[in-house]
Amino acid sequence: MGRAQFLTGLLAAVVVCGAVLGMRELAWLQPLELVVYDQYQRLASPEPASPSQVVVVEIGERDIREQGHWPLSSTVLAAALRVIAEAGPRAIGLDIYRDLPVEPGEAQLARIFAEEPRIIAVRKFGDFEGDAILGPPALEGSDPVGFNDVVPDPDTTVRRGLLFQNADDSEVDFAFALRVALLALGIQPAPDPERPEWLRLGQTTLPPLESTDGGYVDLDAAGYQFLLDFGAGRAG
């Protein structure tokens, strides 16, 4: 290979490399990189080593037709929660917005919330003022309430989990899923011994997602985010 061919090849490589880096810096490659990440998740993630211990109790169309209305009355909801509690779960996640009373039975529902510390309810921060949904009045402002907001990507796919979010200037709120998991596993969040700004759950450290991690460019990584592992959550 002559000197001229070598210089031409080197120049071409530099131009191509610069173009790729420039396109990535401008986020032009982000959609493609995220699609590649999705495919990697499908191919590389192992199946769960053991069956899930999570039981989902669903309220379906048949249940609503039997009751004749939606939302369910507080009497029915309180009775369902008592039956579930008597089955002995370590944690009960109530993923139903219940910021407004639905009589009859509001007093019964408030009573089981007060008596049963294993129940975690949800609230929603929302994307703009007036979009928020509070937790049940009997629990609002207390630990048994967590937010269930998600952080979708521009293509509407949810690839990131959100563990914490600022409720106001002085308060950090926990995610609903995190509160349920902590209660079920009997652990508390702690700082990583080597990186105190990182979260440690039991023996596992969860590094926070940064704005340029993975295929992202200039990501809004506010709160404490992490990339979801879809493969580990596949149903058996």
Side-chain angles (χ1 to χ4, degrees), residues 6-208:
F6 173 77
L7 292 176
T8 300
L10 180 61
L11 178 61
V14 170
V15 170
V16 170
C17 183
V20 171
L21 291 176
M23 287 190 292
R24 191 182 192 284
E25 188 65 25
L26 293 172
W28 291 357
L29 297 180
Q30 179 172 294
L32 177 60
E33 291 192 68
L34 293 178
V35 169
V36 171
Y37 170 78
D38 295 342
Q39 187 63 23
Y40 169 79
Q41 284 287 310
R42 295 186 185 99
L43 297 176
S45 297
E47 294 288 344
S50 59
S52 173
Q53 297 183 4
V54 177
V55 176
V56 177
V57 180
E58 180 185 30
I59 300 173
E61 291 299 325
R62 179 177 177 180
D63 303 303
I64 296 173
R65 286 196 299 269
E66 288 181 355
Q67 294 298 317
H69 58 85
W70 178 261
L72 300 179
S73 71
S74 295
T75 298
V76 172
L77 185 57
L81 289 172
R82 289 201 180 276
V83 170
I84 293 171
E86 289 170 1
R90 290 192 290 263
I92 303 170
L94 179 62
D95 195 8
I96 300 174
Y97 294 129
R98 205 67 177 192
D99 57 321
L100 299 175
V102 184
E103 298 288 1
E106 195 63 23
Q108 296 171 258
L109 186 59
R111 188 177 307 114
I112 191 171
F113 283 149
E115 296 173 353
E116 185 47 74
R118 293 174 294 174
I119 297 177
I120 306 294
V122 293
R123 62 166 297 184
K124 178 184 178 183
F125 278 99
D127 297 325
F128 51 86
E129 188 176 355
D131 191 33
I133 301 175
L134 299 177
L139 294 178
E140 184 58 33
S142 62
D143 285 348
V145 178
F147 66 85
N148 66 347
D149 299 67
V150 295
V151 280
D153 285 331
D155 62 358
T156 71
T157 301
V158 177
R159 298 180 178 90
R160 295 169 283 144
L162 180 62
L163 297 179
F164 302 102
Q165 188 162 293
N166 289 332
D168 53 39
D169 293 337
S170 61
E171 182 183 355
V172 175
D173 205 354
F174 284 50
F176 168 74
L178 177 60
R179 286 202 183 278
V180 174
L182 293 176
L183 183 58
L185 297 174
I187 59 176
Q188 290 296 322
D192 180 78
E194 298 181 2
R195 299 285 299 270
E197 70 275 19
W198 288 5
L199 174 69
R200 190 170 180 84
L201 298 177
Q203 300 300 313
T204 303
T205 296
L206 298 177

